[in-house]
Amino acid sequence: MIEMIEVRNVELEDAKCLVDIYRPYVEGTAITFDYTVPSIHEFEEKISTIIQKYPFLVAEKEGKILGYAYAGDFYPKEAYKWTAEITIYLDSESRGNGVGEKLYSALELELLNRGICHLTSCIAYPDEGSVSFHEKRGFRQVAHFEKVGYKFDRWWDVVWYQKDIKSVDNPNL
């Protein structure tokens, strides 16, 4: 049941499990354009870097991590500090049963509380599952780049989705 799923902040000790969740995406899909699976040490460094500025959350049930979601810079310039790019990965058994919804809801709330106004997500296209998931959550497509990623001996398009979570004329207020 979805109610039994806990969402919590990531810990460095989670890195091995997160690499195991990420591995099938790297090795078998174009959902990520990484060609090689990061080492546990590389993933620990990624976690350490992200949590300095943004939330990095995991969903777990009875001590088993089912997936993770985190935010990062949309673009590393001061004028973009109210916009974040978000990312989610779930283990294969956790897709389609509400884990992603729970993770993204917690991530969006955390980002809203930190003053973020706009969320973006970059999706390899076609990936109807990711597109549908984001559209159900209120994201809208704002860009489509053709043949910009090359993996598995073919070119892939990329679409960018955006969601406004806070509407303000002056985000400094």
Side-chain angles (χ1 to χ4, degrees):
M1 299 205 82
I2 194 74
E3 295 83 27
M4 299 174 67
I5 295 170
E6 175 191 354
V7 174
R8 63 166 174 80
N9 289 319
V10 72
E11 299 172 3
L12 285 180
E13 296 78 28
D14 297 328
K16 181 188 180 318
C17 184
L18 302 188
V19 168
D20 290 343
I21 289 170
Y22 191 56
R23 178 180 311 283
Y25 290 96
V26 173
E27 295 176 343
T29 77
I31 289 172
T32 175
F33 286 157
D34 279 341
Y35 279 25
T36 59
V37 178
S39 70
I40 294 169
H41 176 71
E42 289 169 329
F43 217 92
E44 289 170 339
E45 288 180 344
K46 176 183 187 121
I47 291 168
S48 295
T49 300
I50 290 170
I51 63 175
Q52 291 178 32
K53 187 173 178 184
Y54 292 104
F56 194 133
L57 306 176
V58 298
E60 68 180 2
K61 180 178 179 183
E62 299 172 358
K64 180 182 188 271
I65 295 177
L66 307 175
Y68 61 94
Y70 61 89
D73 286 336
F74 166 68
Y75 197 77
K77 300 229 186 254
E78 187 72 14
Y80 296 107
K81 70 181 179 182
W82 294 278
T83 303
E85 181 181 353
I86 60 176
T87 303
I88 186 168
Y89 289 97
L90 304 176
D91 73 11
S92 61
E93 295 94 41
S94 298
R95 288 184 222 135
N97 63 14
V99 175
E101 290 285 337
K102 193 157 186 173
L103 264 173
Y104 252 26
S105 292
L107 185 63
E108 286 181 22
L109 181 60
E110 181 66 31
L111 290 165
L112 180 65
N113 289 337
R114 292 182 187 206
I116 298 296
C117 301
H118 313 286
L119 306 178
T120 64
S121 186
C122 181
I123 301 170
Y125 188 80
D127 179 351
E128 296 307 320
S130 289
V131 166
S132 174
F133 173 75
H134 284 84
E135 288 177 352
K136 285 179 189 172
R137 293 208 46 87
F139 284 76
R140 67 193 184 286
Q141 184 179 323
V142 294
H144 186 143
F145 297 97
E146 296 176 345
K147 296 182 173 93
V148 293
Y150 191 80
K151 188 173 180 183
F152 302 131
D153 298 320
R154 71 168 273 202
W155 287 102
W156 296 86
D157 292 1
V158 166
V159 291
W160 278 88
Y161 273 71
Q162 180 176 330
K163 179 179 182 179
D164 303 324
I165 58 173
K166 183 178 184 180
S167 178
V168 291
D169 291 329
N170 182 349
N172 290 314
L173 297 177

